[in-house]
Structures are given as structure tokens and as C-alpha cells.
Amino acid sequence: MSARAKATLAASFAFSTFIIWAVHYQQSREREDMFQGVIRDDARRLEKMRQREEEFRASSRKREVYEQVQTVVSGDQSNQN
């Protein structure tokens, strides 16, 4: 084998190795980015649930106050009059 052929073979091997490494590195980065997206989605979902629960508590407190202040008539009793 000539020196030029050996150099070409070595360069091809090095280039192929670099390409394979780069593809694996890119895949691992994308996988990590996707995982971070899942973590952000979970945090966003938990925050939304917390806000809805707080709104429900506030609504329940308002309802209790309104029921103490106002007369509440059920649907069955209003039809009998």
C-alpha cells in the first residue's frame, strides 16, 4: 500500500469516526432536551393544578359566605309555590 493510500484510509477512518461520534452526541443532547421539556411540562401542570385548587377554595369560601347571608332555596321547593 502506498503512503498516499494509507493517508487516505486513515483520514477516511478518522472522518467516519468523527461523524459517528457527532451523531451520537447530537442524539444524546436531543434526548436530554426532550426530557427537560417533560420536566417543564410536569411543573407547569402542577402549578396549574395548584392554581385551580386555590380558585376552588376561594369559590367555596365565597359560597359559604353567600349562603350565610342569602336565603338559598332548592329547585324542588321553588316549584311548589
Side-chain angles (χ1 to χ4, degrees):
M1 231 180 177
S2 70
R4 188 172 182 182
K6 289 179 184 178
T8 303
L9 179 62
S12 297
F13 178 76
F15 184 71
S16 297
T17 302
F18 173 74
I19 293 295
I20 291 170
W21 173 83
V23 167
H24 284 288
Y25 178 76
Q26 182 180 10
Q27 286 176 343
S28 66
R29 291 288 303 209
E30 288 176 354
R31 190 177 308 117
E32 181 63 29
D33 289 345
M34 287 178 15
F35 181 70
Q36 291 302 319
V38 170
I39 290 174
R40 283 191 304 270
D41 288 346
D42 283 346
R44 194 176 308 129
R45 182 182 52 81
L46 289 174
E47 178 62 23
K48 187 180 284 188
M49 284 176 54
R50 187 195 63 76
Q51 288 176 351
R52 287 181 179 166
E53 190 168 321
E54 183 58 37
E55 289 172 1
F56 176 75
R57 286 188 199 129
S59 176
S60 295
R61 286 191 297 268
K62 287 179 185 178
R63 181 180 175 146
E64 289 174 5
V65 169
Y66 292 149
E67 285 178 351
Q68 289 174 359
V69 175
Q70 300 174 354
T71 304
V72 178
V73 178
S74 70
D76 294 337
Q77 292 176 351
S78 64
N79 290 338
Q80 292 175 0
N81 292 335

